[in-house]
């Protein structure tokens, strides 16, 4: 036995030396290959704060706002605002969904309205690559609940027992004479149709429960396969070995001074490199946003620890209730390439310098003294190839300037090759002034972006007037 141990020790030492040598010689390459984490969240009230935002972290504790802190997706359906987004990945990684509350506080709806007669729908987006998303659609989940008055804080988890997703959310409804928020669930495979909603979590008496999120725990950690954290007056922990089975109360976080009067929006994340979890909690009562509470055993309330001062950084925007996805290396690369911190610019007309390119009702023209978001664009790497540019709207992310029949419109990127070609341009020296810029069509290289009667068009340029019309300054 001792000889075998000696041989194994020698092999282990050699392997460690080899590994150390590789780390020393290529530290940057090894670090760059490590995937990080993607947080999906909203940032506050109002028409722009209640949209989809993304943030990225390499270590799960220090976060960087993607897209320069700007929104990544905008809801154009229902109330035209979204809160509490959840990001869902299919088991094989071939599809992703974002599901969110259809709610826009401060833009036509109050809290009282949303509780007594709110949207019964969820807002859903779908993607096959995590970066190109479908147009949003509405999924009615609470309409079949007797006296169901809203649908809030959706979550979903794959259930291997039924080979589909358990979609769960909070609805304010009257049951047994008591009106309050309870958690309901339905099963779905595509987030377009669901089974009939069923009651999932109901607290005693008049106690509401709105926010709950489930995490799957690996074998050997704690006594349960699944742990859920809920905001129900406390941050209550429960465990089960079946998503739709019996759940056991495991205590709460009052032992570390956290109750539902202080924090809400529980959001799980497992560190990729160790058996440690963080339960992010939104410090809504103090307005300080999320903080990470860590544990090595999600089912044991005594193991949770408050963060040390300075041990985390949530970035430049306030993160509100969302979810976190552990990224693969390929996903990480795609996400960071799609939403870099690209400057926000306007396009100023050369021959009408008081006018700027802007969209209005998705038509595109030049108008006088426009400074708002309708005239703001991010000059992205061209959708059709490097060395080119595409113009993405700031207030309608995912929408690009695109020509169709030589006319311009602001259109949603459908991911097709045709769209990419129509929305891609080569930035060249200004046709009327070399210090300015002109934009040559990628798929019609004899044509340029120009204005005509203040409308944007794609035309061949052969006159001095045309050259002036096709010249712009990229400015802040």
């Amino acid at each position: 036995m001792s000889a075998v141990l000696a041989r194994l020790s020698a092999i282990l030492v050699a392997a460690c030396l080899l590994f150390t040598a590789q780390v020393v010689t290529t530290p940057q390459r090894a670090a760059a290959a490590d995937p990080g984490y993607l947080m999906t969240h909203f940032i506050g009230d109002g028409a722009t704060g209640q949209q989809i935002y993304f943030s990225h972290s390499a270590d799960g504790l220090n976060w960087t706002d993607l897209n320069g802190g700007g929104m990544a997706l905008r809801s154009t359906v229902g109330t035209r605002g979204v809160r509490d987004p959840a990001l869902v990945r299919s088991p094989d990684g071939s599809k992703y969904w974002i599901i969110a509350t259809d709610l826009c506080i401060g833009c036509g709806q109050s809290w009282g309205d949303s509780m007594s007669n709110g949207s019964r729908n969820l807002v859903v987006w779908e993607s096959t690559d995590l970066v190109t998303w479908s147009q949003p659609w509405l999924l009615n989940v609470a309409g079949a609940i007797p006296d169901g008055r809203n649908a809030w804080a959706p979550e979903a988890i794959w259930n291997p027992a039924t080979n589909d997703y358990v979609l769960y959310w909070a609805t304010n409804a009257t049951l047994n004479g008591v009106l309050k928020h309870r958690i309901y669930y339905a099963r779905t495979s595509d987030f377009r149709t669901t089974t009939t909603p069923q009651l999932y979590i109901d607290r005693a008496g008049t106690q509401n429960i709105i926010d709950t999120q489930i995490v799957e725990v690996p074998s050997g950690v704690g006594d349960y396969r699944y742990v859920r954290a809920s905001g129900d007056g406390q941050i209550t922990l429960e465990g089960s070995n079946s998503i739709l089975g019996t759940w056991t109360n495991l205590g709460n976080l009052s032992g570390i001074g956290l109750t539902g009067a202080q924090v809400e929006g529980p959001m799980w994340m497992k560190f990729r490199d160790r058996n440690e979890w963080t339960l992010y909690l939104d410090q809504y009562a103090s307005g300080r946003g999320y903080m990470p509470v860590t544990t090595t055993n999600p089912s044991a309330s005594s193991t949770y620890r408050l963060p040390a001062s300075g041990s985390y950084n949530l970035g430049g925007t306030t993160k509100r209730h969302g979810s976190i996805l552990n990224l693969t290396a390929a996903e990480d690369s795609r996400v960071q390439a799609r939403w870099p911190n690209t400057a926000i610019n306007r396009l100023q007309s050369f021959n009408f310098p008081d006018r700027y390119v802007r969209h209005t009702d998705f038509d595109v023209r030049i108008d006088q003294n426009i400074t708002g978001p309708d005239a703001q664009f991010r000059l992205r790497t061209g959708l059709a190839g490097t060395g080119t540019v595409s113009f993405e709207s700031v207030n309608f992310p995912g929408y690009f300037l695109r020509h169709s029949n030589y006319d311009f419109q602001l259109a949603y990127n459908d991911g097709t090759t045709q769209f990419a070609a129509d929305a891609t341009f080569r930035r060249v020296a200004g046709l009327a002034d070399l210090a300015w810029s002109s934009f040559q069509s990628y798929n019609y290289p004899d044509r340029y972006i120009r204005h005509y009667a203040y409308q944007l068009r794609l035309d061949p340029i052969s006159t001095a007037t045309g050259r002036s019309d096709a010249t712009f300054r990229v400015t802040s």
Side-chain angles (χ1 to χ4, degrees), residues 26-63:
T26 59
Q28 293 181 336
R29 182 170 59 189
D34 290 337
Y37 310 85
L38 179 66
M39 185 191 299
T40 309
H41 57 93
F42 72 107
I43 64 171
D45 293 343
T48 57
Q50 293 166 113
Q51 302 296 343
I52 301 298
Y53 291 77
F54 290 145
S55 296
H56 179 271
S57 176
D59 62 4
L61 294 172
N62 295 281
W63 295 86

Side-chain angles (χ1 to χ4, degrees), residues 5 26 30 45 61 69 193 233 277 300 309 370 381 394 420 426 434 437 469:
L5 289 175
T26 59
D45 293 343
L61 294 172
T193 60
W277 289 257
S309 177
I370 299 296
T381 298
V394 166
R426 291 186 175 88
L434 297 180
S437 297
D469 290 349

Side-chain angles (χ1 to χ4, degrees), residues 243-255:
I243 294 171
L244 296 179
T246 301
W247 289 79
T248 301
N249 189 303
L250 304 174
N252 57 59
L253 300 185
S254 61

Side-chain angles (χ1 to χ4, degrees), residues 250-285:
L250 304 174
N252 57 59
L253 300 185
S254 61
I256 56 173
L258 298 178
T259 70
Q262 300 163 302
V263 291
E264 65 179 9
M267 183 172 66
W268 290 104
M269 189 204 78
K270 184 188 181 301
F271 291 97
R272 65 167 182 266
D273 55 350
R274 59 192 183 274
N275 269 345
E276 185 178 4
W277 289 257
T278 183
L279 181 61
Y280 274 95
L281 298 170
D282 185 355
Q283 303 167 93
Y284 75 98

Side-chain angles (χ1 to χ4, degrees), residues 271-321:
F271 291 97
R272 65 167 182 266
D273 55 350
R274 59 192 183 274
N275 269 345
E276 185 178 4
W277 289 257
T278 183
L279 181 61
Y280 274 95
L281 298 170
D282 185 355
Q283 303 167 93
Y284 75 98
S286 62
R288 290 183 293 172
Y290 270 111
M291 70 171 177
V293 178
T294 56
T295 177
T296 55
N297 181 0
S299 64
S301 60
S302 62
T303 65
Y304 287 76
R305 296 289 181 266
L306 292 171
S309 177
S311 63
Y312 67 99
N313 187 317
L314 270 293
T317 60
T318 300
K319 283 30 175 201
R320 302 298 308 277
H321 190 189

Side-chain angles (χ1 to χ4, degrees), residues 464-476:
T465 298
R467 287 190 287 273
S468 294
D469 290 349
T471 300
F472 302 89
R473 172 182 282 138
V474 178
T475 185
S476 60

